[in-house]
PDB file of all heavy atoms in Angstrom:
ATOM      1  N   ILE A 184      30.064   2.625 -16.324  1.00 98.00           N
ATOM      2  CA  ILE A 184      29.614   2.722 -17.779  1.00 98.00           C
ATOM      3  C   ILE A 184      30.689   2.059 -18.661  1.00 98.00           C
ATOM      4  O   ILE A 184      30.280   1.392 -19.646  1.00 98.00           O
ATOM      5  CB  ILE A 184      29.458   4.305 -18.081  1.00 98.00           C
ATOM      6  CG1 ILE A 184      28.192   4.776 -17.518  1.00 98.00           C
ATOM      7  CG2 ILE A 184      29.494   4.503 -19.589  1.00 98.00           C
ATOM      8  CD1 ILE A 184      27.958   6.214 -17.619  1.00 98.00           C
ATOM      9  N   LYS A 185      31.959   2.248 -18.305  1.00 98.00           N
ATOM     10  CA  LYS A 185      32.975   1.693 -19.134  1.00 98.00           C
ATOM     11  C   LYS A 185      33.119   0.164 -19.010  1.00 98.00           C
ATOM     12  O   LYS A 185      33.212  -0.597 -20.017  1.00 98.00           O
ATOM     13  CB  LYS A 185      34.328   2.264 -18.777  1.00 98.00           C
ATOM     14  CG  LYS A 185      34.489   3.801 -19.033  1.00 98.00           C
ATOM     15  CD  LYS A 185      34.206   4.225 -20.509  1.00 98.00           C
ATOM     16  CE  LYS A 185      34.425   5.741 -20.702  1.00 98.00           C
ATOM     17  NZ  LYS A 185      34.079   6.146 -22.011  1.00 98.00           N
ATOM     18  N   ILE A 186      32.975  -0.305 -17.794  1.00 98.00           N
ATOM     19  CA  ILE A 186      32.994  -1.795 -17.456  1.00 98.00           C
ATOM     20  C   ILE A 186      31.925  -2.553 -18.313  1.00 98.00           C
ATOM     21  O   ILE A 186      32.069  -3.555 -18.912  1.00 98.00           O
ATOM     22  CB  ILE A 186      33.157  -2.077 -16.054  1.00 98.00           C
ATOM     23  CG1 ILE A 186      34.394  -1.623 -15.347  1.00 98.00           C
ATOM     24  CG2 ILE A 186      32.881  -3.579 -15.704  1.00 98.00           C
ATOM     25  CD1 ILE A 186      34.311  -1.622 -13.793  1.00 98.00           C
ATOM     26  N   TYR A 187      30.754  -1.938 -18.088  1.00 98.00           N
ATOM     27  CA  TYR A 187      29.570  -2.701 -18.741  1.00 98.00           C
ATOM     28  C   TYR A 187      29.118  -2.178 -20.024  1.00 98.00           C
ATOM     29  O   TYR A 187      27.965  -2.614 -20.559  1.00 98.00           O
ATOM     30  CB  TYR A 187      28.417  -2.529 -17.572  1.00 98.00           C
ATOM     31  CG  TYR A 187      28.718  -3.373 -16.349  1.00 98.00           C
ATOM     32  CD1 TYR A 187      29.120  -2.664 -15.300  1.00 98.00           C
ATOM     33  CD2 TYR A 187      28.701  -4.761 -16.258  1.00 98.00           C
ATOM     34  CE1 TYR A 187      29.429  -3.428 -14.019  1.00 98.00           C
ATOM     35  CE2 TYR A 187      28.928  -5.447 -15.095  1.00 98.00           C
ATOM     36  CZ  TYR A 187      29.314  -4.691 -14.003  1.00 98.00           C
ATOM     37  OH  TYR A 187      29.639  -5.440 -12.796  1.00 98.00           O
ATOM     38  N   GLU A 188      29.838  -1.291 -20.537  1.00 98.00           N
ATOM     39  CA  GLU A 188      29.628  -0.834 -22.031  1.00 98.00           C
ATOM     40  C   GLU A 188      28.156  -0.308 -22.053  1.00 98.00           C
ATOM     41  O   GLU A 188      27.358  -0.631 -22.998  1.00 98.00           O
ATOM     42  CB  GLU A 188      29.942  -1.825 -22.961  1.00 98.00           C
ATOM     43  CG  GLU A 188      31.316  -2.306 -22.928  1.00 98.00           C
ATOM     44  CD  GLU A 188      31.683  -3.298 -24.069  1.00 98.00           C
ATOM     45  OE1 GLU A 188      30.611  -3.900 -24.633  1.00 98.00           O
ATOM     46  OE2 GLU A 188      32.829  -3.480 -24.399  1.00 98.00           O
ATOM     47  N   VAL A 189      27.808   0.571 -21.012  1.00 98.00           N
ATOM     48  CA  VAL A 189      26.472   1.174 -21.082  1.00 98.00           C
ATOM     49  C   VAL A 189      26.354   2.283 -22.051  1.00 98.00           C
ATOM     50  O   VAL A 189      27.317   3.303 -22.150  1.00 98.00           O
ATOM     51  CB  VAL A 189      26.120   1.701 -19.650  1.00 98.00           C
ATOM     52  CG1 VAL A 189      24.810   2.315 -19.628  1.00 98.00           C
ATOM     53  CG2 VAL A 189      26.329   0.572 -18.585  1.00 98.00           C
ATOM     54  N   PRO A 190      25.342   2.273 -22.929  1.00 98.00           N
ATOM     55  CA  PRO A 190      25.258   3.468 -23.780  1.00 98.00           C
ATOM     56  C   PRO A 190      24.958   4.765 -23.046  1.00 98.00           C
ATOM     57  O   PRO A 190      24.184   4.720 -22.104  1.00 98.00           O
ATOM     58  CB  PRO A 190      23.920   3.156 -24.664  1.00 98.00           C
ATOM     59  CG  PRO A 190      23.151   2.157 -23.876  1.00 98.00           C
ATOM     60  CD  PRO A 190      24.217   1.365 -23.007  1.00 98.00           C
ATOM     61  N   TYR A 191      25.665   5.852 -23.544  1.00 98.00           N
ATOM     62  CA  TYR A 191      25.497   7.126 -22.688  1.00 98.00           C
ATOM     63  C   TYR A 191      25.396   8.244 -23.694  1.00 98.00           C
ATOM     64  O   TYR A 191      25.563   8.264 -24.798  1.00 98.00           O
ATOM     65  CB  TYR A 191      26.652   7.379 -21.741  1.00 98.00           C
ATOM     66  CG  TYR A 191      28.038   7.412 -22.334  1.00 98.00           C
ATOM     67  CD1 TYR A 191      28.445   8.786 -22.791  1.00 98.00           C
ATOM     68  CD2 TYR A 191      28.930   6.459 -22.678  1.00 98.00           C
ATOM     69  CE1 TYR A 191      29.814   8.957 -23.440  1.00 98.00           C
ATOM     70  CE2 TYR A 191      30.207   6.649 -23.320  1.00 98.00           C
ATOM     71  CZ  TYR A 191      30.485   7.812 -23.616  1.00 98.00           C
ATOM     72  OH  TYR A 191      31.680   8.071 -24.301  1.00 98.00           O
ATOM     73  N   ASN A 192      24.902   9.392 -23.112  1.00 98.00           N
ATOM     74  CA  ASN A 192      24.738  10.647 -23.982  1.00 98.00           C
ATOM     75  C   ASN A 192      26.068  11.172 -24.402  1.00 98.00           C
ATOM     76  O   ASN A 192      26.895  11.550 -23.627  1.00 98.00           O
ATOM     77  CB  ASN A 192      23.961  11.633 -23.124  1.00 98.00           C
ATOM     78  CG  ASN A 192      23.403  12.768 -23.982  1.00 98.00           C
ATOM     79  OD1 ASN A 192      23.863  13.200 -24.911  1.00 98.00           O
ATOM     80  ND2 ASN A 192      22.164  13.137 -23.574  1.00 98.00           N
ATOM     81  N   PRO A 193      26.308  11.346 -25.782  1.00 97.00           N
ATOM     82  CA  PRO A 193      27.506  11.805 -26.243  1.00 97.00           C
ATOM     83  C   PRO A 193      27.797  13.188 -25.796  1.00 97.00           C
ATOM     84  O   PRO A 193      28.957  13.671 -25.864  1.00 97.00           O
ATOM     85  CB  PRO A 193      27.332  11.670 -27.728  1.00 97.00           C
ATOM     86  CG  PRO A 193      25.878  11.678 -28.028  1.00 97.00           C
ATOM     87  CD  PRO A 193      25.318  10.957 -26.858  1.00 97.00           C
ATOM     88  N   LEU A 194      26.847  13.975 -25.235  1.00 96.00           N
ATOM     89  CA  LEU A 194      27.059  15.390 -24.802  1.00 96.00           C
ATOM     90  C   LEU A 194      28.131  15.312 -23.648  1.00 96.00           C
ATOM     91  O   LEU A 194      28.712  16.223 -23.195  1.00 96.00           O
ATOM     92  CB  LEU A 194      25.832  16.007 -24.431  1.00 96.00           C
ATOM     93  CG  LEU A 194      24.925  16.506 -25.612  1.00 96.00           C
ATOM     94  CD1 LEU A 194      23.581  17.026 -25.004  1.00 96.00           C
ATOM     95  CD2 LEU A 194      25.586  17.449 -26.435  1.00 96.00           C
ATOM     96  N   HIS A 195      28.135  14.180 -22.916  1.00 95.00           N
ATOM     97  CA  HIS A 195      29.068  14.003 -21.850  1.00 95.00           C
ATOM     98  C   HIS A 195      30.465  14.142 -22.220  1.00 95.00           C
ATOM     99  O   HIS A 195      31.293  14.479 -21.510  1.00 95.00           O
ATOM    100  CB  HIS A 195      28.743  12.821 -20.975  1.00 95.00           C
ATOM    101  CG  HIS A 195      27.621  12.584 -20.230  1.00 95.00           C
ATOM    102  ND1 HIS A 195      27.245  13.595 -19.399  1.00 95.00           N
ATOM    103  CD2 HIS A 195      26.561  11.660 -20.226  1.00 95.00           C
ATOM    104  CE1 HIS A 195      26.104  13.360 -18.774  1.00 95.00           C
ATOM    105  NE2 HIS A 195      25.660  12.015 -19.325  1.00 95.00           N
TER     106      HIS A 195
END
Side-chain angles (χ1 to χ4, degrees):
I184 287 174
K185 298 301 183 186
I186 290 170
Y187 293 101
E188 298 182 342
V189 179
Y191 65 88
N192 195 321
L194 288 175
H195 288 309

